[in-house]
Amino acid sequence: MDSVKRRHRPAPEQVYEPTPEKPFRPVPSVYQPNTRYPAVNNAVVYCQTNYKVVIPAVLTFLAFWTRFRSIARAAFVVWDEAHFGKFATYYLNNEFYFDVHPPLGKMLNGFAVALAGSDGTFKFESGADFPEGLHYGVMRAFNAFWGALMVPFAYWTARELHMSPKASILAATMVLCDTALLCISRFVLLDSMLLFFTCSSFFCLTKFHNQRHQPFSDDWWLWLALTGVNLGCVSSVKWVGLFAVALVGCYTIEDLWDKLGDLEMPKTTYIKHWVARIVCLIIVPALIYMLTFVMHFAVLFRSGPGDTQMSSLFQSNLKGSPLENNPLELAYGSTVTLKNYGYGGGLLHSHVQLYPEGSKQQQITCYHHRDDNNKWIVKRKRSTSDLEEETAEPDKPQLVQNGEVIRLVHERTTRNLHSHPVKAPVTNSHWEVSGYGNKTFGDFQDNWKIEIVKEITRKKYGDKNNINAMTTLFRLRHVAQNCLLSANNVLLPQWGFRQIEVTCDKRNDLNDPHTWWNIEENYNDKLPPAPRGSLKSDFFHDLWTVNVGMWTTNNALIPDPDKNDILSSTPSEWPMATVGLRMCGWDDNRVKFYLVGNPIVWWTSFSAIVGFVAIAGFYIIRMQRSIYDLPRVQFDNFMFMGKYIFLGWFLHYIPFFIMGRVTYLHHYFPALYFSIFMVPFLLEHATRQWNSRNQLLAFVAATALVIAVFLYFAPLAYGVKGPINAYKGRAWRSTWNLLKNSRE
C-alpha cells in the first residue's frame, strides 16, 4: 500500500535539462593535438569533436547532390513550369500579369530564368522543348537550391527542439530521402521556396524560444526579427504561408499569456514584450509583403495579359495600355468598356448566347479579360416609341452628365442593355439583365439613369457633373424598375461559361461597391486625350485591388463536377500517400516524373501524429488520476515540443478540408514537413530508458529503412524512360496511377 501511495504523489519540480550527449567509445572524447592516432581513429576523433559542424556539412552535401543530380534530364517544360516559367518571362519583358499567388517566388524565378540566358521569347508551353541557348538546368538548379537547404535546417531545428544528434539526423534524413520533396524541388515552381521559408520560419521560432530566459538580449532580438522576416517571405510566396504566421501567432499568444501570470514582471517590461512582438511579428512581415508588391509593380510597367484585373486608373499608367490615350470625359456616341468597382469586379460583357430559362434573351455577364464583346456604345435614352431611327451625333460632342438617362448598345450584337421584372438566373431576388432589341428597336426598359458616387482621385478635372473616364464612380439605375446594375461575383453555371452574373439589384443599397461602375476604355475621335500626368493611381488602392482579385480568383478555382481531373486529389488522400501525380506525358520514349512520397516517411509521420495525440491523452488522463509517469518539467517539455510540431501539421493540413477550391497533392508538403519531426521525437521518447547501444540500433534501423525505400523509389523522382511497366513493382498502392491513368 505504501508503494501505491508513493506512486500517486506528485513528482517533485525539477529544472529540465536535455539529456547529456555521451561520447563515442572507445575513442577518447577529447582530442589531443600532440597525440598520434591511427589515420582512421584520427578522422573519427575529429568528427566526434566537431560533430556540430561535420553532421550538418555532410547532410548539406548530400542534399545538394540529391537535388542537383541529373537535374537537366528532361529538356522540356514539365507540369506547372508552364505557368511559373511563363510568369518569370513576364518579368523579363516587364509585362504586367495577374496570378493568384503573391509575387516574391515568381520574381525569384524571373531572376533564375534570366540567369539561364532567356531572352523572354520562349512561352513555356506545356510539354514544349526548351530552345537552344536556354540553360534550363540553371533555372531548375536555382529552385533545387531552396529545396536542398531544407535538409540542414531540419537538422538544426530538431537540435533546437532538444532532440539528440541521432534523432536530429533521422529527421534530416527523412526530409533528404522523401521522394516527393525531392521531386517538387527540381522544377521551376514555387513550392521549394515556400517549403524553405516555412522551415526557416519554424527554425527561427525555435531559436527565439530558446532565448526566452534572456529577453531583450542581442540574440533574443535577432531571432525574433528573423522570425518576422521569414514570415514575411513565406507569406509573399504563397498565401499558404499564412499558416506559418498562424503557428507563430499561437506561440506568441501562449507566451504572452504565461508572462501575464508572472507577478514579478514589471508592467513596463510586459508592455515592451508586446511592442517587440507587434513590431517584429506584424509590422516587419507586413512591410516585406508590401515591398514585394512595390517591386512587382515597378518591374511590370508595360501593359500585359493581367491588366483587366487591376483598376482602370492603374492600367492607364502602364506603357502600351489602350487606356493611355483615353479621352477624359464621357460623351454621347463614345464606345466604352465599363468596369465593376466591387471586389474582383470584371468588365460588363455580352455574347450571342441566350439565357436557357427566364426571358431567354441575350446573356449579360462580367468578364475579366479584354475582349471586343466588352464594348458598348453610349446612346441617348429611348423614348416611348419601340421603333426609332438612328440619328448621327453632332460634330461637337455632347458630354454625359450626372443624372442623365442613357442607353447602352452592345457594339458587336447591337443589343440594348435591358432589364425587366424577370428573376435573375442565379440570384433570384434580383431582376434579370439581358440584351434586347437593337440600335433602332427596343422599349423604355432600355433606359438607365447615371448617378455619380464619387471621384477616385483627389482632384476632379472639368465640370463636377461630368463623367470622367477611369476616375468617376457611378451607379446605373434602371429607370423603369428602379433597381441598380450589379455584379456580385456570383458565377453563372457552365451555360454562362462560369462568368460573373449581372443583375438589377432591387435592394438599392447605395453603399454597395458591386453596384458602382467606372468607364475604362473610352473611344471618341471628337474628344482629345487626357492630359499627361492627370491620372495617377494610389499604391495602397492598387495593393488592395490585386489582393482582392487574388482572393476571388483563388476561391473560383473550384472542382468541375463534369470533368474527370486525374491530377487533383482530396485532403483525406494525402497523409497515407494514397495518391500520386503524373507530372508530364506518359509516352514510352519520354522522360516521365511521378510525384509520390516515400511511403515509409509518409506512413510513419502520420502515424506519429496520431501516436502523439494518443500518448499525450494517456498522460493527461493519468495525471488527472494523480498518476505521474514523467517529472513535471519533463512532461511540460514533452508537451511543448509535441504540441507545436502537431500544431504546425494541423494548421497546414486541416484548413484544406474547408476550402472550396480544387486541391492537389503538393498542398500537403508543408504539413508533411512538420509531421516528420514527430517520428524521431516519439522514437526518442519511447526509447529514453533503453541503453545507449539499443537506442542507437533503433535509430540506425529507422534511418536505414528510410534510405532503402528512398533508393527504391528515387527513379520516379529523377525521371524514368521506357515502358512504365518496368517499374510496376513500385506501385505499392492500387490507388496510384503509375501504371494506368486512373485511380481505383
Side-chain angles (χ1 to χ4, degrees), residues 69-83:
R69 177 177 174 267
S70 303
I71 201 162
R73 186 174 188 192
F76 57 90
V77 177
V78 175
W79 195 39
D80 275 355
E81 286 185 328
H83 296 297

Side-chain angles (χ1 to χ4, degrees), residues 281-587:
L281 301 181
I282 297 178
I283 295 178
V284 168
L287 289 175
I288 290 174
Y289 187 79
M290 287 189 290
L291 179 61
T292 62
F293 279 96
V294 170
M295 295 187 291
H296 179 70
F297 293 152
V299 174
L300 305 180
F301 57 84
R302 299 181 188 276
S303 177
D307 293 13
T308 55
Q309 290 285 350
M310 300 299 293
S311 70
S312 305
L313 200 56
F314 178 88
Q315 294 179 54
S316 69
N317 290 280
L318 294 174
K319 189 174 181 180
S321 169
L323 280 60
E324 267 188 318
N325 298 315
N326 259 6
L328 193 60
E329 296 91 1
L330 175 66
Y332 288 102
S334 296
T335 300
V336 301
T337 59
L338 290 89
K339 186 174 181 65
N340 187 266
Y341 191 71
Y343 308 137
L347 295 161
L348 189 65
H349 178 92
S350 188
H351 38 240
V352 296
Q353 284 76 13
L354 309 180
Y355 289 115
E357 302 293 340
S359 69
K360 297 187 179 181
Q361 294 174 5
Q362 187 166 298
Q363 296 175 17
I364 304 293
T365 66
C366 262
Y367 187 53
H368 279 110
H369 303 281
R370 192 164 283 128
D371 188 287
D372 285 342
N373 278 324
N374 301 335
K375 293 180 179 179
W376 301 81
I377 304 172
V378 181
K379 292 291 185 180
R380 299 178 190 278
K381 67 180 180 180
R382 177 81 66 187
S383 68
T384 55
S385 173
D386 288 348
L387 185 62
E388 294 181 357
E389 291 188 10
E390 183 75 6
T391 58
E393 292 294 334
D395 291 337
K396 184 177 180 181
Q398 182 180 343
L399 301 182
V400 178
Q401 294 199 319
N402 184 35
E404 293 186 353
V405 177
I406 64 171
R407 183 163 50 97
L408 291 170
V409 179
H410 191 242
E411 185 181 55
R412 295 197 74 176
T413 64
T414 72
R415 295 291 185 261
N416 299 289
L417 186 69
H418 180 91
S419 187
H420 41 218
V422 175
K423 290 183 178 179
V426 179
T427 311
N428 298 141
S429 60
H430 296 184
W431 293 134
E432 177 191 88
V433 175
S434 64
Y436 173 73
N438 53 41
K439 291 182 180 180
T440 59
F441 177 79
D443 62 26
F444 66 98
Q445 298 194 109
D446 301 337
N447 294 333
W448 301 83
K449 182 180 179 181
I450 193 162
E451 301 174 350
I452 290 180
V453 177
K454 64 178 181 178
E455 285 290 317
I456 298 175
T457 55
R458 296 180 182 179
K459 183 179 179 181
K460 170 84 174 188
Y461 288 85
D463 192 308
K464 67 178 182 180
N465 289 318
N466 289 350
I467 309 299
N468 286 353
M470 294 174 286
T471 65
T472 302
L473 297 179
F474 56 84
R475 292 182 289 268
L476 287 172
R477 182 181 297 277
H478 193 255
V479 175
Q481 307 303 330
N482 195 33
C483 52
L484 299 174
L485 188 69
S486 175
N488 281 285
N489 287 323
V490 176
L491 297 182
L492 291 169
Q494 194 59 48
W495 54 256
F497 308 101
R498 302 203 64 81
Q499 294 175 10
I500 296 174
E501 180 191 37
V502 174
T503 65
C504 203
D505 190 346
K506 297 181 288 185
R507 296 173 300 175
N508 282 302
D509 182 358
L510 302 184
N511 295 316
D512 183 1
H514 294 97
T515 64
W516 300 354
W517 302 82
N518 69 268
I519 301 299
E520 186 162 285
E521 297 180 45
N522 184 18
Y523 303 99
N524 194 315
D525 295 336
K526 300 175 182 179
L527 291 173
R532 287 289 179 184
S534 61
L535 303 172
K536 294 293 183 183
S537 61
D538 178 74
F539 167 74
F540 289 102
H541 181 265
D542 296 337
L543 178 67
W544 176 256
T545 301
V546 71
N547 277 269
V548 169
M550 290 158 54
W551 174 264
T552 54
T553 306
N554 194 60
N555 288 341
L557 299 175
I558 59 176
D560 187 346
D562 300 325
K563 179 181 177 183
N564 181 25
D565 188 358
I566 199 67
L567 296 178
S568 64
S569 54
T570 61
S572 60
E573 296 176 299
W574 300 338
M576 294 301 289
T578 309
V579 294
L581 189 150
R582 292 186 177 188
M583 299 184 72
C584 55
W586 228 236
D587 297 339

Side-chain angles (χ1 to χ4, degrees), residues 13 46 63 119 380 448 477 515 550 597 650 669 678 709 742:
E13 293 293 327
Y46 178 84
D119 59 2
R380 299 178 190 278
W448 301 83
R477 182 181 297 277
T515 64
M550 290 158 54
F650 182 91
F669 291 176
M678 196 66 83
V709 175
S742 63

